Amino acid sequence: MRLGILGALQVERDDRSVDVAGGRLRALLARLSLDAGRPVSVGALADAVWDDELPADEQHALQSLVSRLRRSLGDGDAIVPAPGGYRLNVQPDAIDAHRFERFAAAGAAKLRAGDPERAAATLGEALALWRGPALADLTGPSFAAAAAALTDLRLTAIVDRAEAELALGRGANVVAELETAVAEHPLHERLAARHIAALYAAGRQADALDAYERVRARLADELGAAPSPDLQAAHLAVLRGDTAPERRSRRSNLRSPVT
């Protein structure tokens, strides 16, 4: 069985789609997927499934729901009892989010090791797993926090891949992806710096300068902050007409904090 949570919940078994109907069943399966292979307590599962309307008897209500979910999945061993709760009986790699995290970490390590070619390929594999916003069809505090954490990791992977492509002289390849990400996260300075470098690498110097001015003004208006050294360096490289601003941008391994 394979499950997808990088988008709406998706379940496959024997290469066929499995329909899990009902919001509570889907919430239960998604919460178990976040900790695939590890025990999840009854309390954590109940919070994810019922939110603020907890049943009088959480233990028995959850037991009934687990039985229904097993039938929906067509596998009585898919969910097994565990100390204090239940466990989804799959390997972590059966969940797209776990595969994404593994590929993203491996790609970042290759980038730090000075291997941008392999870093770009591995990070590309990681980002290709996303079908839409994480946990797109699930709501509640349990899923909001997990979705935010996955989104932060995705942004880091996007920036890391951009750095790899820039180091390879292929900055133009990531302009469109960076523009989409910048529109969604306009105050993310490391992302903005790579966007400016990619625009310049694509021969769009005026657009790169405009992009810097937009983020500089927004930082000042909304946060009362000056651009980070990383962002200033990207801007200065464009002003100087640096023929390889992307290489200058990677002289430091320090990352600007996410705002």
Side-chain angles (χ1 to χ4, degrees):
M1 183 168 64
R2 295 173 74 85
L3 297 98
I5 58 175
L6 299 180
L9 181 66
Q10 185 180 74
V11 185
E12 290 183 358
R13 188 178 176 206
D14 299 328
D15 296 324
R16 290 186 298 180
S17 178
V18 176
D19 182 29
V20 177
R24 287 178 179 171
L25 290 183
R26 294 173 70 81
L28 174 59
L29 181 56
R31 182 61 188 84
L32 287 165
S33 296
L34 288 171
D35 286 283
R38 299 192 298 269
V40 184
S41 71
V42 167
L45 292 171
D47 285 343
V49 171
W50 287 285
D51 201 9
D52 293 331
E53 300 177 2
L54 295 175
D57 188 341
E58 293 179 10
Q59 184 76 45
H60 284 90
L62 190 59
Q63 187 176 23
S64 175
L65 205 61
V66 166
S67 295
R68 288 172 53 197
L69 182 55
R70 286 173 178 146
R71 289 195 296 272
S72 292
L73 296 173
D75 184 354
D77 296 322
I79 303 165
V80 297
Y86 293 91
R87 175 173 62 86
L88 185 63
N89 192 23
V90 298
Q91 293 298 315
D93 256 16
I95 315 299
D96 60 359
H98 292 276
R99 294 198 306 280
F100 162 73
E101 290 184 32
R102 182 167 62 82
F103 287 147
K110 290 179 174 66
L111 183 63
R112 290 193 299 270
D115 188 353
E117 189 73 58
R118 293 175 65 197
T122 305
L123 290 162
E125 285 186 72
L127 292 166
L129 293 168
W130 286 73
R131 296 170 288 109
L135 300 157
D137 55 344
L138 295 154
T139 59
S142 298
F143 297 117
L150 286 167
T151 298
D152 283 345
L153 289 175
R154 179 173 179 262
L155 275 174
T156 298
I158 287 172
V159 175
D160 283 346
R161 183 170 69 157
E163 287 193 1
E165 294 287 357
L166 284 161
L168 294 165
R170 304 191 307 227
N173 292 352
V174 292
V175 168
E177 181 179 47
L178 290 172
E179 285 181 344
T180 299
V182 165
E184 295 172 355
H185 306 275
L187 296 177
H188 193 297
E189 294 185 77
R190 185 169 172 244
L191 174 65
R194 301 297 88 73
H195 180 221
I196 290 166
L199 285 169
Y200 183 67
R204 296 167 56 182
Q205 183 175 15
D207 289 339
L209 294 173
D210 286 345
Y212 173 80
E213 182 54 33
R214 284 195 301 272
V215 68
R216 184 207 61 76
R218 195 154 188 167
L219 286 166
D221 292 345
E222 297 185 24
L223 301 179
S228 66
D230 187 27
L231 194 52
Q232 292 181 46
H235 179 231
L236 186 59
V238 177
L239 289 175
R240 287 175 171 170
D242 193 330
T243 57
E246 64 277 7
R247 290 170 178 79
R248 289 181 182 271
S249 72
R250 298 191 62 241
R251 284 181 177 174
S252 172
N253 288 325
L254 297 176
R255 294 180 176 177
S256 301
V258 176
T259 55

